[in-house]
Amino acid sequence: MPKKSGKTSPRAQPRSARRLPASATKSPAISSGFDTAERIARALEAVAAHLSAASPAHSTAASIGAADAFVWHPNGRLAPVPHVSRVDLDLLKGIDRMRDILIENTERFADGLPANNALLWGARGMGKSSLVKAAHASINANRKPADRLKLIEIHREDIESLPALMELLRSSPFHFIVFCDDLSFDGNDASYKSLKAVLEGGIEGRPENVILYATSNRRHLLAREMIENERSTAINPGEAVEEKVSLSDRFGLWLGFHRCSQDEYLAMVRGYCGHFGIKLAEEELEREALEWSTTRGSRSGRVAWQFTQELAGRLGVRMRK
């Protein structure tokens, strides 16, 4: 029987022989992964460096002395306001009693004497915030730069950062009015507790060089339905409402603003027109002013101001404050 030839048939090599080395296939993937991670890390470092350079510096004593009015930002910055939007004190009509009380309180505070935090509450558009800004300007009119009051506005949504602002102002040589316009609380909003602690009751308390002025359409800073809901659902209705209502009690000075009469409204219009040099026959001015208030459904200082702007624009008169 013939022997089988010793030659091997030219068959394909085994699969293992055809495979590329593992290092040859996996190394590029590993290298690519490392490159991607490194690029991400470098990008994050660049973003962090940019944010650090762009973040505003915290306010210092020198920066506070550079202006009379500021807006507080919760990141620790006081933004100076070169020109405050205000109305002259003499143009605020129908609020003589509230004006005199607030001016006296503010002047005592500026002189380093005891004074109360003030809550200006009541009808819309009757000059609550205008009175605060006008009082600030009036007190500073004849004061030296070192004795001038500083006005700091804090927005309603930033009330929780109020303790940080107090800490910043506590060591300053200046006196400050911290002003919050249209202050009120709704629903389950608990930020009012920060305000309560600053007004009275906190360990540190309000700094001696700081006074708080707030305006609100609500006497107790809470919606009536919110108070009624607390009263109806609580085990002890009186205690449930007392905690939130007591916030307004911590303002030692309450100044109520009520709707103005027709005569007071017309006096506001005449005052604005005289101040800005808007000339119109008395009877025609009165007729148009009353018609304007009727279409707005109310009489107030704000409505009188809006009518004055309309009249000035129609007559081509420029209004410069």
Side-chain angles (χ1 to χ4, degrees):
M1 194 173 173
K3 294 182 179 179
K4 294 182 180 178
S5 174
K7 296 180 180 179
T8 58
S9 60
R11 291 189 302 177
Q13 294 181 351
R15 293 180 180 177
S16 59
R18 295 201 309 266
R19 292 177 182 169
L20 292 174
S23 60
T25 58
K26 294 184 179 179
S27 292
I30 295 175
S31 176
S32 176
F34 280 130
D35 290 345
T36 301
E38 187 175 354
R39 286 198 300 271
I40 293 174
R42 285 199 298 267
L44 291 175
E45 289 176 359
V47 171
H50 177 73
L51 291 176
S52 177
S55 60
H58 284 234
S59 300
T60 61
S63 63
I64 292 176
D68 284 342
F70 301 84
V71 174
W72 165 253
H73 295 275
N75 61 1
R77 183 171 67 97
L78 285 171
V81 180
H83 178 73
V84 177
S85 176
R86 59 164 59 98
V87 176
D88 289 347
L89 192 63
D90 294 337
L91 293 177
L92 298 177
K93 308 294 183 181
I95 55 172
D96 296 356
R97 179 175 173 274
M98 285 73 75
R99 177 200 62 200
D100 294 344
I101 293 174
L102 189 68
I103 287 289
E104 181 183 353
N105 189 71
T106 308
E107 194 163 15
R108 288 203 309 262
F109 171 69
D111 291 336
L113 298 173
N116 277 307
N117 301 311
L119 174 62
L120 290 72
W121 67 274
R124 298 187 304 272
M126 281 304 299
K128 297 185 292 295
S129 60
S130 295
L131 178 57
V132 172
K133 293 181 285 187
H136 169 252
S138 175
I139 296 299
N140 276 348
N142 299 314
R143 290 182 177 269
K144 298 178 181 179
D147 298 331
R148 295 172 71 86
L149 281 175
K150 306 296 180 179
L151 179 66
I152 299 179
E153 181 177 13
I154 181 171
H155 295 141
R156 158 66 189 84
E157 58 271 19
D158 297 330
I159 282 295
E160 289 185 344
S161 66
L162 189 57
L165 175 59
M166 295 296 103
E167 183 64 26
L168 175 65
L169 304 181
R170 190 179 298 274
S171 59
S172 174
F174 296 102
H175 282 68
F176 301 90
I177 300 173
V178 175
F179 169 54
C180 184
D181 190 24
D182 197 19
L183 179 64
S184 61
F185 301 94
D186 295 299
N188 296 320
D189 189 351
S191 60
Y192 70 92
K193 294 183 179 179
S194 299
L195 181 58
K196 285 180 66 175
V198 169
L199 290 171
E200 289 179 21
I203 295 177
E204 291 184 309
R206 172 173 60 88
E208 292 184 359
N209 63 333
V210 176
I211 199 169
L212 285 97
Y213 286 175
T215 69
S216 178
N217 296 331
R218 304 167 179 170
R219 182 176 181 180
H220 292 295
L221 305 177
L222 306 169
R224 182 178 298 277
E225 58 269 18
M226 181 179 173
I227 297 176
E228 294 299 330
N229 182 62
E230 291 281 352
R231 181 178 287 114
S232 63
T233 57
I235 296 176
N236 189 326
E239 291 181 358
V241 178
E242 183 178 357
E243 180 186 6
K244 293 181 178 179
V245 172
S246 65
L247 174 59
S248 58
D249 290 341
R250 302 192 181 205
F251 288 91
L253 193 61
W254 285 12
L255 298 177
F257 290 68
H258 307 284
R259 296 185 184 278
C260 63
S261 66
Q262 178 173 299
D263 290 341
E264 289 171 335
Y265 167 72
L266 292 174
M268 295 174 189
V269 172
R270 295 189 192 99
Y272 285 139
C273 289
H275 181 76
F276 294 107
I278 304 171
K279 297 179 180 180
L280 192 67
E282 181 71 19
E283 292 183 0
E284 188 176 356
L285 177 64
E286 182 175 322
R287 178 182 58 80
E288 290 194 16
L290 292 177
E291 182 180 349
W292 181 273
S293 68
T294 301
T295 59
R296 297 300 178 276
S298 66
R299 291 189 298 262
S300 68
R302 181 178 298 149
V303 172
W305 173 253
Q306 292 167 347
F307 168 72
T308 305
Q309 287 184 306
E310 164 66 20
L311 185 60
R314 180 152 39 93
L315 298 178
V317 178
R318 296 186 180 276
M319 299 173 63
R320 288 186 172 88
K321 295 182 181 180

